[in-house]
Amino acid sequence: MKAAHSVTDLVAAGLMTPAAGEAVAAVADRYAIALTPYLLETLADAAPGDPLYAQYVPSPEEAYTAPEEREDPIGDVVRSPVKGIVHRYPDRVLLKPLHACAVYCRFCFRREMVGPGGEALSPEELDAALAYVRAHPEVWEVVVTGGDPLLLSPRRLSHIVRSLSDIPHVGVVRLHTRIPVADPARVTTELIEALKAPELATWMAIHVNHADELTEPARGAIARLADAGIPLLGQTVLLKGINDDAAALEALFRGLVRNRIKPYYLHHPDLAAGTSHFRPTLAEGQALVKGLRGRVSGLCQPTYVLDIPGGHGKAPAAPGWVRPDGEGGYLAEDFTGAAHRYRG
C-alpha cells in the first residue's frame, strides 16, 4: 500500500466518496494531505466521526478562515534570526531542519509552511543555523522540530545531534515528532542510535491526541525508544470533537504514562487558518483541565498552555495567567509578565 497524498488517493483508499472529495477540493489545493500506509490500514474501517480520521482527513470546514486566524499564529517568522532557527526564549531555540511531515494534521499551526517535498535546509543553511547556536552561549536546549525531524535519514539526524553535542553550552536536544504513532516501523535501531551523542541528553516529545493512537505497533515503537534510555514526553492538542471530554483525556493520559510517556503539554489550539471547528473556548478547556485533577494522578497531568499570538511564547492557561478582559476576549500573561490581548 502506498501513502496517500491527494483527494484522489483518499477516494481510492475508501476514506471518502467521490462527492466528498469534490467538497474538499479547494481545501486540498491549499493545505497538504499525507497519510502513511500504516495509517491508511489503521483507518480502513473508520468514518468521519472517528477521532483519528478527523485528525488526518480534510473536511470542508477547513475552507473557512475565521477573522482572528493567522498564517503564522505563534510568530515563528518574527523570532527567526537566521533560516531554520526560532529564538523565542533566552535559553532555548527551535531548529527546523525541514518543513515536511509523514502526515499532515488538519489542525497544524504550521500548515501554511509545511507540505510535500517541504524544503530542507541546505548544508550551508544548516551550518549557519548551528553557527547561530554556537555563537549564543545562553542557549542550553535545542528543540529539533519542523516538519518532522524523524523523516530525516539516520545519517542526517546523527550529524545534527553530534554537531549539537560538540557545542559546550548545549546540554539538551529535544526532538518533536509524530512518527511513533504515524509510521511506527520507521523507529528502527539505526534511527534510535542516531538520536544519541556523548555529553548530550536526548529527549523526545511525541505528539499524541487520542488513546486510539496507542496501537500495538505504536506501543512497540515507543517501547524501543524508552528501552534505549530516551526520556519521552507527550504533546497533545485539545481538539473539539476528538478529545474535548474528561473521559477521552483520562484514557489518553493514562495510556501515555502506562507507555512511559510523561504528559507534558496540553495545547489550546493555535489560531491557524481554517481550524476554528477544532477549537473549544478557553473556558471549556480550563473546566476540563480542572476536572482532571480529581480523576488522574499527578503523573497524568500535563500543563494546559496557550501560545500567545505574535511570538510572545506560552502561558499556562489557568486563572492568574489567562483571564477575561471584560470585553469578550482574554488577557494572556507571557513569561516576562507582559499581558497580551487574545481573541479566539
Side-chain angles (χ1 to χ4, degrees), residues 121-340:
L121 296 181
S122 69
E124 295 76 18
E125 290 166 341
L126 179 59
D127 286 345
L130 292 168
Y132 179 89
V133 176
R134 199 173 294 113
H136 287 76
E138 72 274 20
V139 174
W140 176 77
E141 180 179 8
V142 177
V143 181
V144 185
T145 182
D148 196 317
L150 264 59
L151 269 187
L152 295 171
S153 68
R155 178 186 62 80
R156 294 184 69 186
L157 275 171
S158 179
H159 170 68
I160 291 171
V161 172
R162 289 185 174 272
S163 296
L164 292 171
S165 76
D166 290 338
I167 301 174
H169 55 265
V170 174
V172 176
V173 60
R174 179 178 10 134
L175 298 105
H176 282 233
T177 183
R178 264 301 223 170
I179 291 293
V181 297
D183 195 8
R186 194 177 183 91
V187 182
T188 62
T189 300
E190 184 183 13
L191 182 143
I192 292 170
E193 286 305 309
L195 305 179
K196 300 188 288 185
E199 308 302 324
L200 188 67
T202 297
W203 290 65
M204 181 174 289
I206 302 175
H207 294 229
V208 188
N209 299 313
H210 196 276
D212 287 355
E213 296 179 74
L214 298 172
T215 63
E216 183 176 348
R219 294 195 305 271
I222 291 163
R224 292 193 291 275
L225 290 161
D227 289 347
I230 297 175
L232 304 176
L233 303 169
Q235 293 248 117
T236 297
V237 183
L238 183 62
L239 298 165
K240 187 183 293 186
I242 294 174
N243 61 16
D244 63 331
D245 67 81
L249 292 177
E250 177 182 342
L252 170 60
F253 297 145
R254 285 184 172 174
L256 292 177
V257 170
R258 191 173 181 86
N259 284 279
R260 294 178 282 177
I261 301 172
K262 172 67 181 83
Y264 177 45
Y265 279 146
L266 175 63
H267 290 270
H268 191 76
D270 296 311
L271 297 177
T275 65
S276 60
H277 57 294
F278 284 116
R279 204 159 46 245
T281 66
L282 274 165
E284 290 168 339
Q286 289 168 339
L288 276 171
V289 170
K290 184 177 180 181
L292 283 174
R293 279 288 161 191
R295 294 177 69 112
V296 293
S297 80
L299 279 175
C300 301
Q301 301 283 347
T303 301
Y304 181 39
V305 293
L306 167 70
D307 231 313
I308 304 169
H312 303 288
K314 295 179 180 66
W321 288 85
V322 179
R323 58 191 185 275
D325 65 2
E327 300 175 5
Y330 295 85
L331 289 175
E333 185 176 342
D334 67 23
F335 68 101
T336 70
H340 307 270

